[in-house]
Every structure is written in structure tokens, then in C-alpha cells.
Amino acid sequence: MSPAGPAPAPGGIVQAGAAAAERQRNDLSADDLKRVRQVTAPADDFSKAEPFELMQAGAATVKPLINADIFSLPSATLTFEGRQRFQMGNSLFRKDWVSSPSSTQASDGLGPLFNARSCQACHVKDGRGTVPGFDPMERTDAVALLMRLAVPARDADDQRRIDTGELLFLTDPVYGSQLQNFSVAGLPTEGRLEIEYEPITVKLNGGETATLMKPTYRIENLGYGPMHPQVQFSPRLAQPMIGLGLLEAVHEADILANAATEKRDGIRGKANWVIDARTGKPALGRFNWKASQPTVAQQSAVAFSNDMGLSTPMFPSHYGECTEKQPECFKLPHGAQPHLGEHEVPGELMDLVADYSTNLAVPQRRDVDDARVLAGKKLFYEANCVACHVPKYVTRRDAERPEHRFQLIWPYTDLLLHDMGDGLADGVSEGQASGREWRTAPLWGIGLTKTVNPNATWLHDGRARTLLEAILWHGGQAQAARDRVVGMTPDERADLVRFLESL
């Protein structure tokens, strides 16, 4: 089953999005709107830090000790009661689920097919996941690196279902929307992901070189027969969890204004309109690598269903990703308990997980006044990285959660889709996202990535071992910006990386 909402948009999801694109910010007074436009204007003075730049999540920013738990702290704007719910959600996020039947009836129902036993297993300490390893001798089973499976539309009816938002994409008829490399006792796993890397040398100005690692994927030990002959693979690495609630509170008019404007180098982002499973109505996609989920709650529910095989009110199947071609799946017991509710993860627990996931704090910036960091920031602007990595927003005054309202934030993303070229293309369309398009990843916290997870790497499949490698993989709309980085002097590239590491 493809993770899509229950009600399609009969006139077409794109048409519904086009109508929504006319909306303006109605949460601000005229004076507030003028003030917001002033504070979110692009920087033009790189001799010093901008006002409030240190607090990159506004009042929600935390100033903790820099250690491996730096991404696991509650937002500074939470009330005492909010912190209590945050801690309860944290326990659910970290909890290992077990298969049924079990004596721990509030924790069973895992699978029958799954990728991980807990949310934390993929989002290591609420940060990026870990790829199986670049050295064949260090390979481990892929947990945080999921493999999306998709097939092309077979006919006009398939395409209609995608165009109306009924489906995000067509799944493999046997293996579903993603490969599950684990299973409960007595049931075959779907297969094992294998990765081979080819080194590619890139010459840089100043006599330097960089080595990129180009991955090739294959799946071995298929447990349920062959896949569709036209199946397409799209590896997806677990992303950091910080600041998600603030991104959800960015007004869609501000996001769509970026989509309506063609920027330098001919760059223009594209919205991915999807169906909100709670309302059945079209909504702006903001989360996931291809902006295919509209809310943190829906993204979380999809993960419970697809990654762990657990039912929720939003996705009520007790069998997760099991398909009709895997009949043995449906003969196994599930974990729903009559005295606890009809779902393995009841609505109250899902609400706690959402409270946790939307309130993981963004850490304070570092070295914002450092001369080399400021020089790198100027280079970031001059290279036109800001065309996609839009620095700042002011969140809605009427955001659903009070702790996210009217905050000046610095996430460095436009939350839109961009063509990233052949080098990063996966061939998989997801909603309106093509096989060459990816959502602009937020950059806040990126400099603390390896503090949280020393084995973490970057990009959608973790192929980039350094921030410079991640930049060098950029193509498509970002090709000109990437080429400007290649043309920088070694000292300039070092300053650019210093700026990124300060975020």
C-alpha cells in the first residue's frame, strides 16, 4: 500500500495546489507584515553577524553543552506540562517494539515485516542515520537506510490516481513501497541490501582534488520471488529531527512565494502537493526527502506503518507493508489489544510522539562573529546557495502549537523541490516530485552532525562523507553554484565549510 491520504482531489492535486498558491499571510497585521519582511530580507553586510542570528530557532533555541545528546533536548519555549509530554513522547520514540504475542502487551505488534524496532534505531540520537559502511569489511545490515520501491504507471487510470493524490507512486506488486530487511520469527525477510561504491576524482581550483563515492545498489536473497521488471530503487537515509515543528509553522504563503519567483541561475523551486490523511484535503508537502508528507504527525504515522509494521489511527492496517503476494504475513498475530484500543499505537500515543517530534530543539549557533565564518557566509551568498537554502522565516502567529508561534528562525531551506541533476537522480517520482527532484534539506544543526553520530554522512543516501563532497554532488539547478565552489581558492572553500559547520 502506498502511503497516501484517503480522499483524492477530483480536479487534480496540482490544480488544487495552484488555487492554494494565491493565499497570502492572513495571520499578521500590516505593521507586523512590514516588520517580518524587513527581518527576513537577505543579508547584505557580512562584516558582522545579523541581529538574532545566534538564536537560529528564535526563542525555542537551546544553549546546551555540546555533546552527543545535543539534538535530543526539548524546545526552550515548552511549558512545564509540555516538557512532561515531551519526555513521555521520548520514551515512545526510544522504545523497542516486539513481535506478537508477547507478555508486554503495550509494546508488541512489531512487523511482521520491518526495518527497525524503534524510531531511535534509524534517527540516531535524533540525528542522521548511518549507512552500512563504505569499507566492505565494515558493512552491517542497513537499518537507517531504507530502500523505496516504485514502478512506472501502467495505464491512464494509474496516472489519474497519482494526479489526484490518491497515490504518491505505484509500488512493487510483491514487495510494496519499500524493502523490509527484517521479519518476525518464522517469516522470510524480503531481502538484503548490498551497496558497492565507485570512487570518482574531482579536480578543484588551487591544485586540490576530492574523491566522491558513487553508489550502486542491488538486492539479494529475495524472499518472495522476483520484483517487478521495471522496479526502481530510491535509497532514503533517516534525517535529523530538530526543528520540525517550526518548519511546520512556516506559513505556506512564504514557501509558495519562493516557488513563484525565478532566482539567479534560473532557479525556481516547485511545491509538492499531497493529501493530508487527517483531513482528506490537499496540503503542501514539507517533510521527507521529496516533500511528500505534509505534517510531522503524518510522517510519523507512515514510519510506524512502513518501517515497523505498527497500526495507527491514520494507517490502521496491523500488517504494515505486507502485500497480497505475501499471504503468510496475514496469518500471524498482531498486537492490537481490546482493552488498549483498536490500534497497536493508539491515538494518544501517536499524539505524544508528535509532541516529541515537533519540539526537539535547535541548538544555538557557534562562532557567528568569527571573521572566517563571516567570510564563508559571504561566499555562500555569492555562490547563490541561498536561492534554494533560503536562510530565514518568521513563523505563523496562529501556528497550531503556541510554542511555535511568531519566531524568527534560520533553517536555510525553501522546503521546495529542485532538479538536482543526473548524479543524484533516483528515477522515482513521488507525487509531483520527479526522479531528478529533491526537497532542499534544512541546514540548521548541520555542523553538529558528527558530534551526535560520528558515523553520520550526508545526502539522501549518505554517499557524501564530508560537507564538501555533499556540495560537489549538486547538479541540475545547483550546477552553477557547485561550479563556483569548485572555482574557489582552497582558503575560500575552507571558509565556506567553516560557515556550514557554525550552523
Side-chain angles (χ1 to χ4, degrees):
M1 174 183 176
S2 174
I13 193 79
V14 175
Q15 289 77 6
E22 301 299 323
R23 298 173 190 155
Q24 300 297 318
R25 289 202 68 160
N26 55 5
D27 61 314
L28 302 175
S29 68
D31 287 342
D32 276 346
L33 185 60
K34 181 179 179 181
R35 179 180 166 208
V36 165
R37 295 291 178 256
Q38 289 173 339
V39 299
T40 57
D44 56 9
D45 179 1
F46 301 97
S47 65
K48 58 185 178 181
E50 295 174 74
F52 314 112
E53 190 173 8
L54 185 70
M55 306 294 284
Q56 58 184 343
T61 309
V62 294
K63 185 183 178 182
L65 293 173
I66 297 178
N67 57 32
D69 295 320
I70 201 167
F71 284 176
S72 299
L73 301 174
S75 165
T77 52
L78 281 178
T79 63
F80 178 77
E81 292 78 9
R83 286 173 177 264
Q84 286 183 310
R85 290 183 62 81
F86 178 90
Q87 295 300 337
M88 290 188 286
N90 183 22
S91 67
L92 293 167
F93 196 83
R94 293 171 179 267
K95 179 168 76 167
D96 283 335
W97 296 80
V98 297
S99 58
S100 299
S102 168
S103 59
T104 57
Q105 293 186 352
S107 298
D108 66 346
L110 179 72
L113 299 166
F114 60 96
N115 294 106
R117 293 179 177 273
S118 70
C119 307
Q120 187 80 10
C122 292
H123 301 277
V124 178
K125 288 187 173 292
D126 305 298
R128 278 176 172 77
T130 304
V131 296
F134 291 92
D135 184 341
M137 299 300 292
E138 298 176 355
R139 293 290 168 81
T140 58
D141 285 326
V143 175
L145 185 68
L146 307 178
M147 183 59 78
R148 173 77 74 243
L149 306 174
V151 299
R154 297 162 297 188
D155 51 35
D157 186 60
D158 282 346
Q159 192 59 51
R160 176 197 60 77
R161 298 174 73 195
I162 293 171
D163 291 343
T164 61
E166 183 180 347
L167 297 176
L168 286 173
F169 57 91
L170 250 62
T171 65
D172 184 90
V174 176
Y175 292 89
S177 68
Q178 69 188 47
L179 181 79
Q180 267 83 26
N181 48 349
F182 297 104
S183 62
V184 300
L187 189 71
T189 63
E190 290 190 326
R192 186 178 74 249
L193 175 63
E194 293 288 342
I195 314 174
E196 294 180 358
Y197 291 97
E198 173 192 354
I200 299 174
T201 301
V202 179
K203 293 183 179 180
L204 308 172
N205 183 39
E208 294 185 337
T209 61
T211 301
L212 306 184
M213 302 297 283
K214 179 182 178 182
T216 301
Y217 301 94
R218 69 179 188 275
I219 298 173
E220 295 188 346
N221 298 342
L222 288 172
Y224 298 88
M227 290 185 169
H228 190 282
Q230 294 178 283
V231 69
Q232 297 162 311
F233 297 156
S234 180
R236 308 287 177 88
L237 186 64
Q239 296 177 294
M241 301 286 294
I242 58 171
L244 298 184
L246 292 167
L247 292 177
E248 193 170 314
V250 174
H251 200 290
E252 67 179 27
D254 289 343
I255 299 172
L256 297 172
N258 287 316
T261 305
E262 183 172 306
K263 301 181 180 180
R264 185 159 63 100
D265 299 327
I267 291 174
R268 175 175 287 178
K270 185 174 81 175
N272 198 0
W273 291 96
V274 297
I275 297 294
D276 187 322
R278 294 179 302 181
T279 66
K281 296 179 180 179
L284 181 64
R286 301 170 188 247
F287 304 106
N288 204 323
W289 282 106
K290 297 212 175 193
S292 58
Q293 299 300 336
T295 64
V296 177
Q298 186 161 321
Q299 173 67 28
S300 301
V302 168
F304 271 111
S305 178
N306 290 4
D307 303 349
M308 291 182 282
L310 295 163
S311 57
T312 66
M314 203 175 288
F315 298 96
S317 171
H318 300 314
Y319 300 96
E321 267 273 283
C322 292
T323 70
E324 294 178 357
K325 302 292 185 179
Q326 299 164 328
E328 294 303 313
C329 262
F330 298 96
K331 298 177 183 178
L332 296 171
H334 58 72
Q337 309 292 335
H339 64 289
L340 296 175
E342 57 184 309
H343 306 109
E344 291 160 321
V345 188
E348 313 88 80
L349 299 190
M350 281 302 306
D351 289 343
L352 290 172
V353 171
D355 285 348
Y356 177 73
S357 301
T358 56
N359 282 300
L360 282 159
V362 179
Q364 182 176 286
R365 280 276 306 276
R366 298 154 312 287
D367 302 322
V368 291
D369 287 314
D370 180 85
R372 299 271 56 88
V373 169
L374 289 167
K377 178 182 175 182
K378 185 172 186 287
L379 291 164
F380 188 83
Y381 272 72
E382 290 175 345
N384 201 30
C385 303
V386 292
C388 302
H389 292 284
V390 175
K392 48 190 168 175
Y393 303 87
V394 172
T395 60
R396 305 179 66 119
R397 268 203 184 278
D398 58 355
E400 180 178 351
R401 296 174 182 267
E403 59 267 25
H404 302 149
R405 292 174 184 167
F406 207 54
Q407 299 297 320
L408 173 61
I409 64 172
W410 307 69
Y412 285 90
T413 177
D414 60 5
L415 296 174
L416 296 169
L417 301 169
H418 292 273
D419 181 337
M420 295 299 292
D422 290 333
L424 293 178
D426 64 353
V428 172
S429 297
E430 195 164 334
Q432 284 80 61
S434 75
R436 292 167 56 96
E437 291 177 325
W438 300 94
R439 183 200 69 153
T440 304
L443 298 183
W444 53 8
I446 198 168
L448 296 168
T449 298
K450 287 186 176 290
T451 301
V452 174
N453 177 7
N455 296 316
T457 49
W458 291 275
L459 295 180
H460 68 278
D461 54 5
R463 69 177 69 183
R465 298 164 296 175
T466 67
L467 293 176
L468 179 59
E469 285 183 32
I471 294 169
L472 295 176
W473 273 111
H474 283 49
Q477 291 186 25
Q479 184 70 43
R482 177 260 188 203
D483 291 346
R484 292 185 186 105
V485 175
V486 170
M488 292 176 184
T489 67
D491 286 345
E492 287 173 334
R493 281 192 295 272
D495 287 344
L496 177 64
V497 171
R498 284 190 184 97
F499 165 67
L500 295 174
E501 289 176 343
S502 78
L503 297 176

